[in-house]
Amino acid sequence: MRTQVGIIGAGPAGLLLSRLLALRGIDSVVLENRSREYIEARVRAGILEQHTVDTLTEAGLGDRLRREGLEHRGIHLQYPGTRHTLDFPELCGRTVWVYGQTEVVKDLVAAQLDGGPPLLFDVSDVRPEDVDGDSPRIRFTHADGSPQVLECDVIAGTDGFHGVSRPVVADADGRLWERTYPYAWLGILADAAPATDELVYAWHPEGFALYSMRSPSVSRLYLQVDPADSIDNWSDDRIWANLSRRLSLDGWDVSTGPITEKSILPMRSFVSAPMRRGRLFLAGDAAHIVPPTGAKGLNLAVTDVTLLATALTRFLQEEQTDLVDAYSDTALRRVWRCTHFSWWMTSMLHRSGDDFDAQLQLAQLQRVCSSEAAARELAENYTGLPIE
């Protein structure tokens, strides 16, 4: 097999990269070690920055997003007795959309299989080779059991933290920064109409809570829990009682309903640098992970592949190396900005430490709620900073 860009991993980063390259006349093949059913069922992020929505729309993937997604013009910040609204269009002229990553992947897969570049599911034994030379290749085993070799001009590693691409880059004097947080999120999906117009980020003495949604009839909610806790310890009644207590506000109640999914998500950050080795380029979770508090994970992946698609097009069509040479540094500047924002939001809202720390958190929240400059800083970062 022969292609210009071999893409390892059919998450949103890999699929969108393939789509963007195809629109610019660049051939690719996407390899995925899971089934279509598996990748379309993974529940992940749900907040899309303005740039992400614009990118998907320009790539011909915006119809269902615009029809079924929910545009949001702000968020509510809450601490006991107070709920304050940040109006994003007023503060920075942008909005965000609630549209689950699961739905983004479904849209991307459908487009890929409808006359798009090859997308191979259930492959195994994937190995990128000769990435330091001019003719890299990917060895893998096809779903039918036959060994295959995919000859490429370049390889994109979009296969996540546990994939095969990141270690290849790290082996060439790469560096990894990591932060594990002392708390986790217990997340649920519930068949309950949201009781709020915008997301509620709530600080509470017992721990953080987030009220989000996936549709006019489905709520997505989170509770701060101990990372060593087990989902078996959390009955539906206990979950609703904690959500009601942490999100309580006079004259307002949480909408309850059947819980259809629940899980515990550890909170951590990692950044791997560089994001390139020779002709192997990393994007998305293969290069960085952020805690979900700042809603940056999927959006960072979209930014990565937007930059990478432009750089690879210039390289493969014009034989110019300036953008591919700058890719890692350019992407990492935004990665660290978003990593800082995610850390800041997480540190401000999650209970840890003693009562002194709690008062510092409340002081920061009160500052954001009372200062237009502080509120604008949050709004600009949350809705997405411009891409270089």
Side-chain angles (χ1 to χ4, degrees), residues 314-333:
R314 183 168 172 81
F315 175 58
L316 295 171
Q317 291 183 341
E318 303 175 25
E319 298 185 354
Q320 299 295 317
T321 64
D322 54 338
L323 295 184
V324 292
D325 290 342
Y327 166 70
S328 180
D329 288 341
T330 303
L332 283 168
R333 280 193 291 273

Side-chain angles (χ1 to χ4, degrees), residues 12 41-49 52 97-105 185 189 199 201 210 212-214 220 222 265 285 290-302 382:
R42 288 182 290 200
V43 177
R44 292 291 189 271
I47 303 295
L48 306 184
E49 294 176 358
T52 297
W97 286 69
V98 172
Y99 190 66
Q101 179 173 315
T102 302
E103 306 309 314
V104 173
V105 170
W185 276 11
L189 279 174
L199 279 69
Y201 287 78
L210 171 61
S212 182
M213 62 285 293
R214 282 295 181 268
R220 178 72 163 157
Y222 298 93
L265 172 69
D285 287 358
V290 292
T293 325
K296 287 288 159 277
L298 173 59
N299 295 294
L300 267 178
V302 172
Y382 195 96

